[in-house]
Structure formats: C-alpha cells, structure tokens
Amino acid sequence: MNLHENDLRLEEICRFIEKATNQLQDLSFLVLKIELLDSFENLNKASPKGIIKSPAAYQCSEKRIIVNSRIFLNLEMPIKVATIMHEVAHAYLHLINPGLKEREFKDKDIDEELIADYLVCGWGFEEQIIAERTLSYGELYSDALRLWRDREKFLEAITIAYTKILIGNN
C-alpha cells in the first residue's frame, strides 16, 4: 500500500501503516491520498451528518482519506492507526474489492462500517480497532469485535451492538 500524505504531520502514521501492511497482498495495489484538513466544518452538505466530529473519513468520489486535524492529531498512536485503517478498509471495499459485501455477506443486512471494522481485525489491527471502538462505541461493540474470527457469532453480536449505538442505547 502507498499512502500519499499532504502534510508532514501525517508522515509518521503513514509510514507506520505502510510498513505494517507490506505483507498484506489484499492491500498491495492500494494507493491513497491522505489529506489533512483544518476541520470538517466546511465540508459540503452531502457529507454524512456526524462527520464534523469524526477524526477521518474516506471520500469515495475523491478516492482519498481526509483527516480532521482538530481531532486526529491529538489521538494516541494506536487510535490513529485504527482510524486510518478503518478508512483504508472503506477504500478497499470501493476500489479493490467492491463485490465483497455481496459475496461474503450476501444473506446479511450488514452496514459497511461493520465490514470495515471486520477487515481491520483480519488485517492484524484487532487491538488498535478495539481500543478505538471502546472509546467511540463502548464495551458492547468492542466485545462483539473480539468475536471476528467466528463470523456468525461476530455478525450477530456486532449487529446488536451497532443497532444499539444507532438508536442511542449503548
């Protein structure tokens, strides 16, 4: 994977992720721009509702990861890794393996967010994504993530946890 950052403050995290993923054939052809923005407040109205408070996002139309400097730069390294890898997973789903959801999760009504976290675990960043999700989504979601090796148990638990988050009951 090659990450092309627009700001030196992203250099350390980008090189770390490139090195940590250099043995992952799934990601070997992925080339992404990573752009540090001052904030997400001026993003267009078509952006998802909660994006202003997000540390990063993948923009499909631009084929880039945008990073919210106000939030991201203050995070600990493991949380930064999880954040970028989650967005890399979105890029992977759109650019490298767009049919994965239909093939691998065909009978499941599963949100792309959950598949992205599943991929991050499978790529070897389980500890980092669990640490980040414990902070952002809580223990119930993190406990469900720990089940990622057993797909059926994972899907059942993560769907329940994510639904509770969406309805504000986590």
Side-chain angles (χ1 to χ4, degrees):
M1 174 170 36
N2 275 322
L3 302 175
H4 300 282
E5 67 278 3
N6 72 331
D7 191 296
L8 284 174
R9 292 174 288 178
L10 294 174
E11 184 176 26
E12 179 184 14
I13 186 71
C14 288
R15 297 302 80 77
F16 176 85
I17 287 173
E18 287 172 342
K19 185 175 181 182
T21 60
N22 71 354
Q23 298 299 315
L24 297 175
Q25 190 151 2
D26 281 356
L27 301 177
S28 62
F29 296 106
L30 191 58
V31 177
L32 286 171
K33 293 185 291 183
I34 301 193
E35 297 189 24
L36 189 67
L37 305 178
D38 289 334
S39 74
F40 287 178
E41 291 171 7
N42 294 324
L43 293 178
N44 69 37
K45 302 265 189 260
S47 296
K49 192 169 87 177
I51 196 168
I52 290 174
K53 296 178 183 176
S54 179
Y58 175 68
Q59 289 186 317
C60 295
S61 61
E62 305 289 328
K63 297 181 175 90
R64 69 177 180 166
I65 294 172
I66 55 172
V67 177
N68 186 339
S69 69
R70 290 187 184 173
I71 298 169
F72 185 83
L73 295 177
N74 296 316
L75 299 174
E76 298 292 327
M77 187 65 155
I79 307 302
K80 287 179 180 178
V81 169
T83 299
I84 296 298
M85 286 307 300
H86 175 85
E87 302 310 330
V88 165
H90 284 294
Y92 172 79
L93 287 167
H94 289 270
L95 300 172
I96 304 294
N97 202 342
L100 181 119
K101 181 177 178 179
E102 289 73 25
R103 283 190 317 279
E104 302 291 325
F105 301 93
K106 57 185 161 210
D107 297 328
K108 311 292 181 201
D109 183 24
I110 184 167
D111 194 285
E112 184 179 310
E113 291 296 312
L114 308 180
I115 296 171
D117 285 352
Y118 177 80
L119 289 171
V120 172
C121 288
W123 290 333
F125 298 92
E126 178 182 1
E127 282 183 37
Q128 293 93 334
I129 195 72
I130 287 172
E132 193 286 325
R133 291 307 192 210
T134 299
L135 294 172
S136 63
Y137 287 171
E139 285 294 331
L140 183 64
Y141 188 93
S142 295
D143 288 344
L145 265 182
R146 289 181 179 91
L147 300 172
W148 74 272
R149 287 180 184 85
D150 183 330
R151 186 181 288 188
E152 291 306 313
K153 285 182 181 177
F154 164 78
L155 290 173
E156 182 180 339
I158 206 78
T159 301
I160 291 168
Y162 193 63
T163 301
K164 288 184 175 191
I165 290 163
L166 292 176
I167 63 172
N169 190 13
N170 60 333

